[in-house]
Amino acid sequence: MKRILITGGAGFVGSTLALLFKQHYADVDILCLDNLSRRGSELNLPRLKQHGVSFMHGDVRNPEDLARVGEVDWLIECSAEPSVHAGFGESPAYLINTNLNGLINCLEFLRMQGGNLVFLSTSRVYPIATLRHLPLIPQNQRLCIENKPTVVGCSEKGISEAFPLEGNRSLYGATKLSGELFIQEYCHMYGLQAVINRCGVLAGAWQMGKVDQGFIALWVARHFFGGKLQYMGFGGEGLQVRDVLHVSDLFQLLQLQMNQIQDHNGAIYNVGGGMKNSISLCELTSLVTKTTGNSCDIGCVPETREADIPFYVTDITKVNQKTAWEPKISIPMIVEEVYAWMQQNKNALETIFNL
Ligand SMILES: NC(=O)c1ccc[n+]([C@@H]2O[C@H](COP(=O)([O-])OP(=O)(O)OC[C@H]3O[C@@H](n4cnc5c(N)ncnc54)[C@H](O)[C@@H]3O)[C@@H](O)[C@H]2O)c1
């Protein structure tokens, strides 16, 4: 491994992975390409430079930008419009052109230059209606899956790769699922080597959380900088549940997959924090209040937005059986880390989070 290209490399996941790869593989040349469309991504540029990671301003929608990169051994695709709410009531052009056409440009780049691919897909490939009809019961401050559910791909461990794919999933989910299909075709037709990780919620420091994406950082920010939060949808009680994975745990998995790519070529894995690392919004409020010592005004919006789901926890059995990987970093540790990051970078972050 001599050279890694990280597209979307100034974003939360891309920049964190870039710095971790540089830290662990000092001799590897890491290049981050990003169009800096995400507010706050520009704050990562001095960090990348300071640690010897190269940056190129570029756009995955433009094949000629990728052509300027030169040869790479790996491309880690982290560029995206990452919000599941994108496209609702507005043009989907940016979403489709970046998430799908941009990925195809990356695949073409690899077909012509050579090199392997890591793709960050999403749990949101699974259909909204099916997830809304899971057998859930409220228990204390969260929704829980009822004992021995009879839904295919759903167990007390969460949602596995066997969960049915028929049904609407949002345009965001559709761009990612289509991307998975193209990747598998490129593996079959052109001998590309690639691994696909369907990630649940990822979190950690340097995530520029906003209302439609990055809720852990948003929750900590509102408690720290001030401002309001809302429990949105499903009656406005804040009982909806997600699992959360720290991006360093994702890095540990990527190393295992990249070092043994022949064992993972074309494979799809559900990747997330798992049941141990799951939390409801109500529970998150208690945790963040305790961590920051601040409380926050939280409103209730009973109406459910079109792409919202009440419960998603990743069943990581398949990836665990294949690699022995499991997450190490707990949600309280993630919240502590995000809080410390905000305290240390208060001035720069205030303008990003205090909109
Ligand atoms: N964060 C999560 O919880 C999560 C969960 C599942 C999957 N993912 C996936 O992981 C990847 C990284 O997400 P993230 O959380 O770092 O998002 P992010 O918004 O922080 O980073 C994405 C980066 O891509 C850049 N970008 C957007 N459009 C671009 C374009 N056309 N050309 C070049 N760069 C462009 C943005 O400027 C940004 O810096 C995405 O593919 C996302 O779908 C994220």
Side-chain angles (χ1 to χ4, degrees), residues 173-188:
T175 58
K176 291 286 187 176
L177 184 60
S178 321
E180 292 182 3
L181 294 176
F182 275 96
I183 290 166
Q184 288 180 322
E185 291 301 329
Y186 269 68
C187 289
H188 187 73

Side-chain angles (χ1 to χ4, degrees), residues 183-346:
I183 290 166
Q184 288 180 322
E185 291 301 329
Y186 269 68
C187 289
H188 187 73
M189 195 174 287
Y190 302 116
L192 173 73
Q193 300 208 88
V195 61
I196 296 165
N197 292 309
R198 287 181 178 161
C199 301
V201 171
L202 300 168
W206 298 96
Q207 184 171 33
M208 310 298 167
K210 49 197 181 93
V211 173
D212 60 349
Q213 205 261 342
F215 74 96
I216 299 277
L218 177 75
W219 237 249
V220 179
R222 291 289 185 264
H223 283 75
F224 180 55
F225 293 115
K228 286 186 179 174
L229 286 168
Q230 288 179 319
Y231 293 140
M232 285 186 184
F234 308 103
E237 294 174 283
L239 301 186
Q240 55 265 60
V241 171
R242 290 290 189 288
D243 62 335
V244 182
L245 182 69
H246 191 277
V247 64
S248 304
D249 276 327
L250 176 67
F251 168 70
Q252 298 298 336
L253 174 64
L254 297 194
Q255 285 182 94
L256 296 172
Q257 293 173 328
M258 291 163 72
N259 286 329
Q260 298 288 338
I261 186 61
Q262 64 285 359
D263 294 345
H264 304 286
N265 194 20
I268 293 176
Y269 298 108
N270 281 4
V271 170
M275 202 58 87
K276 268 195 297 186
N277 271 358
S278 68
I279 195 162
S280 73
L281 287 180
C282 269
E283 291 168 340
L284 181 62
T285 300
S286 307
L287 175 62
V288 174
T289 304
K290 195 169 132 211
T291 308
T292 62
N294 297 337
S295 58
C296 178
D297 187 6
I298 305 197
C300 295
V301 180
E303 296 79 33
T304 304
R305 290 174 297 178
E306 287 178 77
D308 282 336
I309 50 172
F311 184 96
Y312 186 92
V313 173
T314 315
D315 179 351
I316 57 171
T317 304
K318 180 179 173 187
V319 71
N320 172 262
Q321 283 177 350
K322 192 79 186 178
T323 62
W325 171 87
E326 58 182 6
K328 299 266 186 312
I329 303 176
S330 68
I331 295 178
M333 289 159 78
I334 294 173
V335 167
E336 287 280 358
E337 180 191 285
V338 172
Y339 180 45
W341 164 61
M342 287 180 187
Q343 287 175 302
Q344 285 156 17
N345 298 275
K346 190 168 184 284

Side-chain angles (χ1 to χ4, degrees), residues 8 10-14 33-38 41 58-61 77-82 94 98 120-122 172 176 199-202 207 213:
F12 160 55
V13 177
L33 180 143
D34 201 298
N35 72 354
L36 301 179
S37 57
R38 175 79 182 247
S41 287
D59 197 307
V60 292
R61 294 173 297 172
E77 223 300 59
C78 297
S79 71
E81 164 48 70
Y94 189 83
T98 292
L120 299 186
S121 187
T122 172
Y172 169 69
K176 291 286 187 176
C199 301
V201 171
L202 300 168
Q207 184 171 33
Q213 205 261 342

